Amino acid sequence: MSEQSQTEEGHEPGGDPAGLAVVPGLPDRLRAAAEALSAARPEGLDESELLEVLTALEATKGAAAALQARVTAQFVEQRDARVAEQRADEQISARDARCRRRSSRAEVALARRCSPGQADRHVGIARALVHEMPQTMAALTVGAIGEWRATIMVRETACLSVEDRMEVDRRLAGDLTRLGDKELAAAAHRAAADLDAEAMVRRRRKAVASRSVSVRPAPDGMAWLSILGPMVDAVGAFAALRAAESARHVATGDPQVDAERAADERGRGAWMADTALELLSGRAAGQVQPVEVGLVMGPGSLLPEGHPFARVAGGGPTCADPACSDPACPETTRSVPTGAAGVGDEVEVVGHGAWPGDLAREHLLRLCDAGTSTWLRRLWTTPEGRDLVAMDSARRVFGGALRRLIELRDGGRCRVPWCGAPIRDIDHVDPVAGGGVTSAANGMGVCQLHNLVKEAGWTGAVIETGLDPGGGSHEATLTTPTGSEYRCPAPPLLGRGRGAPSRRRAIRPDLRDSPFEIQLVAAFDAA
């Protein structure tokens, strides 16, 4: 029986798609193939051979994607079938069953080195290709198309029944290798509308429920604020902004208003962006944004080199003897490093990434000029300034300053590899039921999904507390139900990608106001 006919017949959950089980030592053979590819070098090949290699590698990627789809579908279906049996026998509750099914998707995410959201899409695509789209799967298996083209076919037919989806797959089988991506998407959409127009209408109505607002970082200290909503409403809001921008060039008859408008040199895009942000946040024109923004910055960033107070606050020895190196000297031990990482002008916006020090200082000055209350929180770090010092709590739940400390230490993002979702919960690495304590050493910031799936047979262990001044940052390991282990190190306080922090001698904590804080107050008073 051919591979295509096997796929057309479909498989029961937990079955053996494409005879994967008959391949002896498949994981070892795949690892050997990967090693052979990594060792290969193109030197010595002529131009035609180089192009042949490109073509062969593209086909290899398609075949690998097809095998990944089969493996993904089989893994998820076997796990789901076992969970269904346990639920039917009343061995587990409905909540535990849902958690274990989510756990299988989270394991797929770790295996594919992607976020859980991406893993959910991979699982859906894999099931559709294996069971409902034999022609597309056959083309992917021989490497005639790539994974993205197969994804387009699945995406454009997601609202159809199995029979209609297989019909679209049959109709476009000959076009899979001829059309471009946009043309293929349009053809699949057209075929889907031809077969079941009502399903397309229901899909569009259902899409309205997915409307949302999100923010994500952009280069150069900027950010994207995205609104996903019905096309009519989104276009109408944009048209209203453009109309308001055009109206600012019309004379009002008020000399003061007209003079202010004439002096406004902002372009159309800048004016529309500023107006939209002011309206959404409820601010008056020119009012500083009052919402808390977590800026992690050192004294050297807050008071740059050359500032009249930077010499004392910047960490240079204040002892009268320039050659003094006595660690017990009270003047020397009360000085602080020039930056949170001991180097340069570094600022980190928690959860969003690096920010130029000049922009951070400008923002703080605008807050001061506007009379907005500004809080500066002192954080104790390791001597070189790379990691935060931990604190303990007697409470069962992470909250207050301890929660904020862990969120800052973990960079505002889930610590599970390749996830990247914002921190929603602070999880006990070693559960309280197993004797774990509520402390920074035993806490780890995770998203809601990973906090839930950890109850489905996952185990954790702290291998580095981050408390040793000479040791590394906080690090934990997670072991999945299948026995795979993943390391979860905390990022540096000022994020990855910066230069290695310079080593400085240890600084004794002083709970009184430091010279930096005294001079900082004087600087703000003078401003």
Side-chain angles (χ1 to χ4, degrees), residues 352-367:
H352 291 274
W355 217 36
D358 287 341
L359 292 181
R361 287 188 288 272
E362 290 176 9
H363 179 66
L364 291 176
L365 287 175
R366 284 199 303 271
L367 291 174

Side-chain angles (χ1 to χ4, degrees), residues 175-250:
D175 296 323
L176 289 172
T177 58
R178 292 197 294 263
L179 299 180
D181 290 347
K182 291 184 178 180
E183 293 174 304
L184 182 62
H189 184 84
R190 196 175 299 115
D194 180 55
L195 289 169
D196 193 346
E198 291 184 3
M200 300 296 290
V201 173
R202 289 194 300 269
R203 176 178 179 173
R204 294 191 177 185
R205 287 176 177 170
K206 186 178 179 180
V208 175
S210 65
R211 58 191 183 277
S212 61
V213 179
S214 62
V215 62
R216 63 188 189 278
D220 304 321
M222 305 289 281
W224 295 100
L225 177 64
S226 302
I227 302 176
L228 177 64
M231 181 179 65
V232 173
D233 294 338
V235 172
F238 183 74
L241 270 176
R242 293 194 63 173
E245 193 279 332
S246 299
R248 72 188 178 110
H249 302 290
V250 178

Side-chain angles (χ1 to χ4, degrees), residues 8-363:
E8 289 174 347
E9 291 180 4
H11 300 273
E12 294 299 323
D16 179 29
L20 289 179
V22 301
V23 180
L26 181 58
D28 292 335
R29 294 177 62 179
L30 290 174
R31 279 191 288 267
E35 291 176 1
L37 285 175
S38 64
R41 295 293 181 270
E43 288 79 6
L45 301 178
D46 59 29
E47 292 182 354
S48 62
E49 290 174 327
L50 289 173
L51 290 178
E52 288 179 10
V53 170
L54 285 178
T55 302
L57 289 175
E58 195 64 26
T60 301
K61 289 194 294 183
L67 182 56
Q68 267 193 323
R70 292 190 177 97
V71 171
T72 299
Q74 184 170 341
F75 170 78
V76 170
E77 288 166 3
Q78 284 182 350
R79 179 69 63 82
D80 287 353
R82 186 165 70 249
V83 171
E85 291 176 1
Q86 293 172 339
R87 176 62 185 143
D89 296 339
E90 297 185 350
Q91 298 178 17
I92 58 176
S93 65
R95 180 183 180 279
D96 289 338
R98 290 193 299 269
C99 186
R100 295 189 184 194
R101 284 192 288 268
R102 284 194 296 262
S103 173
S104 66
R105 277 67 173 174
E107 289 187 72
V108 170
L110 288 170
R112 294 204 58 161
R113 302 177 185 178
C114 65
S115 69
Q118 289 176 305
D120 286 340
R121 289 190 288 272
H122 286 314
V123 170
I125 292 170
R127 285 179 151 177
L129 290 174
V130 169
H131 299 304
E132 301 172 8
M133 309 192 76
Q135 302 294 336
T136 303
M137 188 61 170
L140 185 63
T141 300
V142 298
I145 62 174
E147 186 177 21
W148 175 242
R149 189 159 296 211
T151 300
I152 291 174
M153 288 291 292
V154 174
R155 181 191 68 194
E156 297 299 330
T157 58
C159 62
L160 301 180
S161 64
V162 174
E163 293 77 12
D164 287 342
R165 176 176 256 176
M166 294 184 72
E167 174 61 18
V168 174
D169 183 58
R170 185 194 63 78
R171 288 187 185 185
L172 299 182
D175 296 323
L176 289 172
T177 58
R178 292 197 294 263
L179 299 180
D181 290 347
K182 291 184 178 180
E183 293 174 304
L184 182 62
H189 184 84
R190 196 175 299 115
D194 180 55
L195 289 169
D196 193 346
E198 291 184 3
M200 300 296 290
V201 173
R202 289 194 300 269
R203 176 178 179 173
R204 294 191 177 185
R205 287 176 177 170
K206 186 178 179 180
V208 175
S210 65
R211 58 191 183 277
S212 61
V213 179
S214 62
V215 62
R216 63 188 189 278
D220 304 321
M222 305 289 281
W224 295 100
L225 177 64
S226 302
I227 302 176
L228 177 64
M231 181 179 65
V232 173
D233 294 338
V235 172
F238 183 74
L241 270 176
R242 293 194 63 173
E245 193 279 332
S246 299
R248 72 188 178 110
H249 302 290
V250 178
T252 63
D254 186 329
Q256 182 177 354
V257 173
D258 291 342
E260 291 176 353
R261 289 184 173 183
D264 190 347
E265 298 180 352
R266 290 177 295 176
R268 169 180 288 182
W271 188 93
M272 292 171 63
D274 292 344
T275 302
L277 293 175
E278 287 173 358
L279 291 174
L280 287 172
S281 61
R283 292 180 287 134
Q287 181 184 355
V288 180
Q289 178 60 260
V291 177
E292 177 183 347
V293 177
L295 296 177
V296 178
M297 57 195 304
S301 300
L302 192 57
L303 296 180
E305 186 176 357
H307 191 280
F309 301 106
R311 186 187 68 80
V312 177
T318 57
C319 181
D321 183 2
C324 176
S325 59
D326 182 7
C329 176
E331 295 297 330
T332 303
T333 54
R334 290 190 64 200
S335 63
V336 293
T338 57
V343 290
D345 192 12
E346 301 159 332
V347 179
E348 187 79 5
V349 181
V350 179
H352 291 274
W355 217 36
D358 287 341
L359 292 181
R361 287 188 288 272
E362 290 176 9
H363 179 66

